[in-house]
Amino acid sequence: MLHTLKNARLFSHLALAFAMSAGTAMAADYPDHPVSMIIPFTAGGPTDNVARSLGEAMQKSLGQTVVIENKAGAGGTIGTTQVANAKPDGYDILLMHIGFSTAPSLYKRLGYDPEKSFRPVGLVVDVPMTLVARADFPANNMKELVEYLKANQDKVTLANAGVGAASHLCGTMLMDALGVKLLTVPYKGAGPAMNDLLGKQVDLLCDQTTNTTQHIKAKTVKAYAITSEKRNAQLPDLPTMQEEGFKDFSVGIWHGMWVPAKTPDNVVAKLQSALKEGLASPKFKERMDALGATILTEQATPEALDAKVKEQIPVWAELFKKAGVKPQ
């Protein structure tokens, strides 16, 4: 009986050692098939624009195709939850923006913990916001806009791409800064919101340059200000919110990359290396420059992204509390 028990224990240890060895070997060969980059928003939106360019730029370093998968819904939490629950092998990676740090304040129940369910890979880009209106909106500059909104706040519609989207965050900040309460109109993505602005179905939208620059240049929308600290090279005539008198209104929509919590160290290191190489790609740089985005090459590290999330969660919690935004 004792001999049998010893054999069973030996077999158990050997099986465990074999499993660990096999897992290590698999991780060492990573990646040996296509990698999925999950985008928790609709195709054609600002975050999707960044993701598709980045996925293409990372393929050379990874030696595998990066497949973009759009899993939209619930302010980005559906796709984010999918990655949190995915197998931690590096084949499902998340590209998400600042909404990663606002979700705890906007939703009562999340299918993940922002600080425990993931391993950060690194920051990607920072994108400023622009305040735009339908082309025939009465106000022609920021001063006129402020006056108009304060006099007509119950008549003006402010579009956003859904609760938790960048446009929702910017719109909340705008109303807080002006002390007005506009009629907000949520959409299922930035694309539909912009389409209705172009169609003059809604009045205002505050969204990322990756979604608005082409329309501002084409003058199919009326632009008032940008949320970066300095003017943008792609939109040199557009003043900053600070220039227009809003000293504390400076916000960039940072984007980051994550993998499930138990992803092996060497897989995270491989992805970080591919991320840095992708950010340095001339083609990626050209595309981000055209969209008005700033590439965060020096911050493309797990430590920088982890610090960003921990810093931002309480900041947005305080803003939403002040604005009277309650978790859904």
Side-chain angles (χ1 to χ4, degrees):
M1 180 70 176
L2 183 60
H3 181 69
T4 302
L5 183 60
K6 286 181 178 179
N7 283 343
R9 287 175 177 170
L10 177 60
F11 178 78
S12 176
H13 287 313
L14 288 172
L16 178 60
F18 177 79
M20 291 177 66
S21 176
T24 301
M26 288 177 66
D29 293 336
Y30 172 85
D32 61 7
H33 61 271
V35 174
S36 293
M37 183 182 290
I38 310 301
I39 314 306
F41 300 105
T42 54
T47 301
D48 182 72
N49 289 337
V50 172
R52 291 182 185 277
S53 294
L54 180 61
E56 181 181 329
M58 290 176 62
Q59 289 179 165
K60 182 178 179 181
S61 178
L62 290 174
Q64 292 290 340
T65 301
V66 176
V67 180
I68 304 299
E69 294 185 25
N70 297 93
K71 300 291 181 180
T77 60
I78 291 177
T80 303
T81 300
Q82 177 178 317
V83 177
N85 296 326
K87 187 176 180 180
D89 55 8
Y91 288 98
D92 289 277
I93 60 180
L94 172 70
L95 187 79
M96 176 56 162
H97 60 36
I98 193 172
F100 192 88
S101 62
T102 64
S105 300
L106 294 173
Y107 297 95
K108 292 179 181 178
R109 294 183 180 85
L110 289 174
Y112 58 89
D113 183 321
E115 297 187 57
K116 296 180 181 179
S117 300
F118 299 89
R119 290 196 66 176
V121 178
L123 283 156
V124 179
V125 295
D126 189 79
V127 185
M129 307 292 284
T130 47
L131 179 58
V132 297
R134 54 183 167 85
D136 61 348
F137 196 70
N140 294 308
N141 53 53
M142 195 66 187
K143 182 181 178 181
E144 290 182 10
L145 178 65
V146 172
E147 292 174 354
Y148 188 89
L149 294 183
K150 289 188 174 181
N152 300 277
Q153 59 179 295
D154 58 335
K155 301 175 184 177
V156 177
T157 51
L158 174 64
N160 66 55
V163 175
S167 50
H168 172 235
L169 307 181
C170 187
T172 300
M173 288 184 68
L174 177 68
M175 290 188 287
D176 180 64
L178 296 180
V180 299
K181 187 72 174 177
L182 307 178
L183 176 61
T184 57
V185 184
Y187 287 82
K188 293 183 178 179
M194 178 56 78
N195 286 339
D196 269 11
L197 188 74
L198 294 171
K200 303 175 184 177
Q201 304 300 309
V202 288
D203 298 318
L204 294 174
L205 175 66
C206 188
D207 207 4
Q208 301 174 65
T209 55
T210 45
N211 194 40
T212 62
T213 298
Q214 60 178 323
H215 301 296
I216 294 172
K217 288 183 174 182
K219 299 189 184 217
T220 50
V221 298
K222 190 175 286 187
Y224 298 102
I226 192 167
T227 65
S228 50
E229 293 183 359
K230 297 179 181 179
R231 293 199 182 199
N232 190 278
Q234 290 297 316
L235 303 166
D237 296 328
L238 191 62
T240 68
M241 288 292 287
Q242 293 182 11
E243 285 180 273
E244 295 293 344
F246 297 89
K247 294 182 180 180
D248 297 324
F249 205 113
S250 177
V251 59
I253 305 303
W254 53 266
H255 295 64
M257 182 180 291
W258 292 264
V259 287
K262 295 183 180 180
T263 303
D265 290 347
N266 62 315
V267 172
V268 174
K270 178 72 174 180
L271 283 170
Q272 191 213 351
S273 176
L275 171 61
K276 285 221 168 195
E277 288 189 32
L279 297 184
S281 160
K283 191 172 183 179
F284 182 75
K285 285 184 175 182
E286 182 182 346
R287 288 180 176 177
M288 293 304 102
D289 285 345
L291 294 172
T294 300
I295 299 174
L296 303 175
T297 307
E298 297 302 316
Q299 295 171 276
T301 67
E303 296 77 16
L305 180 53
D306 184 56
K308 176 66 78 173
V309 171
K310 289 178 178 176
E311 168 211 331
Q312 292 272 291
I313 287 177
V315 169
W316 286 100
E318 181 62 29
L319 175 65
F320 289 134
K321 182 180 179 181
K322 182 181 177 183
V325 177
K326 296 182 180 180
Q328 296 184 358

